[in-house]
Amino acid sequence: MGYEVPLQVKNLSFAYDKQDVLHQVEGDFYQGTFYGIAGPNGSGKSTWLKLMAGLNNCPHNRIHIFGQDIHKMPRMTLAKKISFVPQMFNMKYAFTVEEVIMMGRYPYTNRMTNITQEDYDKVEKTLFETNLMSLRNRHVNELSGGELQRVVIARAIAQDTDIILLDEPISHLDVHYQFEIIALLKEICRNQNKIVISVLHDLNITMNHCDHIFLMKEGRIIKQGEPLKILTEENIDEVYNLKVNMLINHDKKWITW
């Protein structure tokens, strides 16, 4: 069959209670590439991400990982391929930060009963990379929303999957941590040859940090490609119904309104 696209979405439509949410969405995703999904509220971004994560009942033969239909993949196999960071995360029990990050190792540890030195080393490395060492023994139900979001991102990184999916991962973070987390995800994407796909709200971050973006409206992909070419004044007006100005500084663009 030849070389398989690592992650491929073909002709994907989806509805909740007969209400259409996605309309014939398609995309090819390659390793070592940072993808952004942008668009106004209600455009289907989060639904598409959840379908790729296998969290919703995906139609057959629409989403493939290296040629295999995710609908047919065992849950544990899928968990070794895809990690997912939700938009909102609640933790009722008083687990420590380190324990929550260790939960990312569950696909490899037989329900957390057979933790190896490799698992401990991976968690230690992740704590350091995500700047969470000082919080490792704190209980997550005592953390701020921004701190908790960093922990959930760290859990996904520790899961060590080929594909990392994130639903607005930096919306609740301080500006400093927004850029820190985006830089870390890009580094992991490049150095570890992973696919990173993130729904992003901030168009300036999307434009200047993603390699490829999908611009969505009303469940459809309106445009896709290199961010600097896709996020134009005309396209933003079409999708967001918003007049903006572009400021260009060398190879960077910034959106103002």
Side-chain angles (χ1 to χ4, degrees):
M1 191 173 178
Y3 178 73
E4 301 285 0
V5 177
L7 174 61
Q8 186 173 53
V9 179
K10 297 188 70 174
N11 194 27
L12 175 63
S13 297
F14 188 77
Y16 288 114
D17 298 325
K18 299 182 180 180
Q19 179 66 41
D20 291 339
V21 179
L22 293 177
H23 307 274
Q24 298 180 323
V25 170
E26 296 193 342
D28 292 345
F29 301 87
Y30 295 92
Q31 291 164 288
T33 307
F34 193 114
Y35 295 89
I37 303 176
N41 292 339
S43 57
K45 306 184 299 297
S46 295
T47 298
W48 186 15
L49 208 69
K50 290 176 182 177
L51 286 166
M52 288 191 287
L55 298 179
N56 289 336
N57 188 19
C58 178
H60 288 231
N61 205 33
R62 293 291 181 266
I63 302 175
H64 296 85
I65 298 177
F66 289 104
Q68 186 174 0
D69 185 354
I70 70 164
H71 186 85
K72 299 177 181 178
M73 296 177 70
R75 296 301 304 177
M76 198 60 73
T77 300
L78 192 60
K80 292 178 181 179
K81 295 293 183 183
I82 296 179
S83 53
F84 177 72
V85 175
Q87 189 175 138
M88 299 296 294
F89 181 83
N90 295 312
M91 180 63 71
K92 296 180 180 179
Y93 301 102
F95 293 107
T96 66
V97 167
E98 186 171 1
E99 287 171 336
V100 171
I101 296 174
M102 182 64 77
M103 290 175 187
R105 303 299 300 163
Y106 84 93
Y108 314 95
T109 57
N110 188 24
R111 297 183 181 273
M112 305 302 293
T113 59
N114 190 28
I115 299 174
T116 67
Q117 187 61 48
E118 181 182 355
D119 298 316
Y120 284 114
D121 290 345
K122 186 67 179 179
V123 169
E124 190 78 11
K125 183 173 183 288
T126 303
L127 281 163
F128 178 78
E129 289 177 335
T130 54
N131 198 21
L132 289 169
M133 293 291 282
S134 63
L135 299 179
R136 68 187 305 165
N137 295 316
R138 289 273 303 276
H139 293 110
V140 292
N141 56 0
E142 300 172 349
L143 301 180
S144 69
E147 289 170 335
L148 180 59
Q149 186 69 358
R150 286 164 55 209
V151 173
V152 179
I153 293 169
R155 185 183 66 170
I157 292 171
Q159 197 170 329
D160 197 21
T161 55
D162 298 316
I163 303 160
I164 303 176
L165 306 177
L166 308 102
D167 192 359
E168 297 195 23
I170 59 174
S171 295
H172 304 293
L173 302 182
D174 294 337
V175 172
H176 168 75
Y177 288 120
Q178 287 184 3
F179 286 99
E180 184 178 279
I181 290 296
I182 288 294
L184 174 61
L185 290 170
K186 288 188 69 173
E187 181 182 352
I188 290 171
C189 178
R190 298 285 195 279
N191 295 345
Q192 300 180 28
N193 204 32
K194 296 182 183 293
I195 297 170
V196 177
I197 309 171
S198 181
V199 171
L200 291 168
H201 176 71
D202 189 311
L203 292 181
N204 281 313
I205 289 178
T206 303
M207 181 163 52
N208 289 297
H209 294 278
C210 294
D211 301 309
H212 186 106
I213 67 165
F214 296 85
L215 192 57
M216 299 186 68
K217 182 180 182 181
E218 297 177 351
R220 292 180 169 84
I221 297 172
I222 304 302
K223 303 281 184 181
Q224 67 162 301
E226 296 178 23
L228 293 175
K229 296 179 180 178
I230 298 303
L231 289 177
T232 63
E233 294 175 359
E234 294 78 15
N235 288 342
I236 292 172
D237 189 16
E238 177 185 353
V239 171
Y240 289 90
N241 192 27
L242 181 66
K243 300 291 186 183
V244 300
N245 296 310
M246 293 289 183
L247 301 179
I248 301 176
N249 181 15
H250 300 296
D251 61 340
K252 299 285 187 180
K253 276 187 179 181
W254 299 98
I255 301 169
T256 63
W257 52 83

